[in-house]
Amino acid sequence: MLDQSQFPITRLWPAQHPERLQLYSLPTPNGVKVSIMLEEIGLPYEPHLIDIGKNETWTPEFLSLNPNGKIPAILDPDGPGGKPLALFESGAILLYLAEKSGKFLPQDPARRYETIQWVFFQMAAVGPMFGQLGFFHKFAGREYEDKRPLERYKNESKRLLGVLESRLEGRDWIMGEEYGIADISLLGWVRNLIGFYEARELVEFDGFPRVGRWLERGLARPAVQRGLNIPARDV
């Protein structure tokens, strides 16, 4: 069982079930990757809401788990060798949970690395570009007189949607017939782009019909619907 005294984060967010994996997150596009994955694999876990609006990721307790001050992060009391494991970076967490559960990551080495490359594609390209588009289209950046940054991120976001559109030709999921962590890593970001960021028309999303159908398939999964709202936001 987890010795909570080893981990300062548990002093601010105490575990009611210390034998379960502890999730420290918020239902953002990065956060829901992990909650969706946990719902998909059925591993018992305890979610803790981290309020980034109150700068809770910059508390000493949270920084003790993730020095980069970002959600999500996990603390698994039953990590490799039965020892507790603290982990941050959503892509790394997806890989860890896939290997821990034996689900959503192909066993064949070639297909395994092909899957991982698409997770890296999301981490390195889709997340940063879509996030910047959101800033310049909906948030403080929309007030900037210079519209060149918005134009740049709009064009790059459209290009990335085009990459996904091409990949999904003849495929239901990123890896073909097999739904996996590549899809899980991308679903929240594409959903956010046309929903919360209100950029559907800006990026001409309806011009990417395969991406649209893929998103609908993903959002129809019960585990995805549950994961999109975990941890529950304060009312």
Side-chain angles (χ1 to χ4, degrees):
M1 185 175 293
L2 174 65
D3 178 5
Q4 296 191 40
S5 65
Q6 299 179 55
F7 300 96
I9 194 167
T10 62
R11 294 199 291 266
L12 198 56
W13 293 279
Q16 299 301 311
H17 303 280
E19 75 282 0
R20 300 179 185 176
L21 183 146
Q22 304 295 306
L23 169 65
Y24 307 91
S25 190
L26 187 73
T28 66
N30 282 329
V32 299
K33 295 179 205 173
V34 179
S35 52
I36 289 172
M37 182 65 172
L38 286 165
E39 288 295 315
E40 291 279 15
I41 63 178
L43 183 68
Y45 70 101
E46 181 177 351
H48 302 273
L49 181 72
I50 309 300
D51 192 337
I52 60 178
K54 296 179 181 178
N55 292 322
E56 288 183 345
T57 58
W58 300 111
T59 60
E61 290 84 0
F62 189 86
L63 290 171
S64 71
L65 190 63
N66 182 1
N68 195 35
K70 304 291 182 182
I71 59 95
I74 64 168
L75 180 54
D76 186 359
D78 184 25
K83 298 179 180 179
L85 175 69
L87 202 61
F88 65 91
E89 282 296 334
S90 56
I93 297 171
L94 283 181
L95 288 169
Y96 171 70
L97 293 175
E99 293 184 342
K100 180 181 178 74
S101 65
K103 298 178 180 179
F104 302 115
L105 182 63
Q107 294 299 309
D108 174 74
R111 289 185 60 77
R112 181 176 183 273
Y113 282 108
E114 188 179 356
T115 301
I116 292 171
Q117 80 177 351
W118 285 101
V119 175
F120 278 43
F121 167 77
Q122 182 279 304
M123 298 289 292
V126 169
M129 294 301 107
F130 286 13
Q132 291 289 354
L133 178 63
F135 175 80
F136 285 102
H137 176 60
K138 182 176 180 178
F139 299 106
R142 74 182 187 277
E143 305 296 336
Y144 293 3
E145 183 176 349
D146 187 349
K147 299 304 179 185
R148 287 175 296 180
L150 173 61
E151 190 70 13
R152 165 175 166 71
Y153 293 119
K154 178 193 75 173
N155 290 337
E156 185 64 4
S157 294
K158 289 174 64 176
R159 186 189 71 79
L160 294 170
L161 287 171
V163 173
L164 291 176
E165 182 75 6
S166 297
R167 175 65 181 180
L168 289 166
E169 183 175 2
R171 296 180 173 92
D172 284 343
W173 306 107
I174 298 298
M175 290 300 296
E177 297 181 359
E178 300 174 3
Y179 168 86
I181 60 171
D183 303 285
I184 293 171
S185 73
L186 285 157
L187 282 169
W189 276 107
V190 177
R191 173 179 177 264
N192 218 56
L193 178 70
I194 63 173
F196 185 63
Y197 290 162
E198 301 173 355
R200 187 184 195 106
E201 293 185 5
L202 182 68
V203 299
E204 301 174 358
F205 184 77
D206 293 334
F208 305 96
R210 289 190 286 268
V211 177
R213 291 191 294 269
W214 163 84
L215 180 62
E216 290 178 2
R217 281 190 293 273
L219 294 179
R221 294 179 67 89
V224 173
Q225 283 297 310
R226 294 192 301 271
L228 287 171
N229 296 297
I230 298 173
R233 293 179 183 268
D234 293 334
V235 178

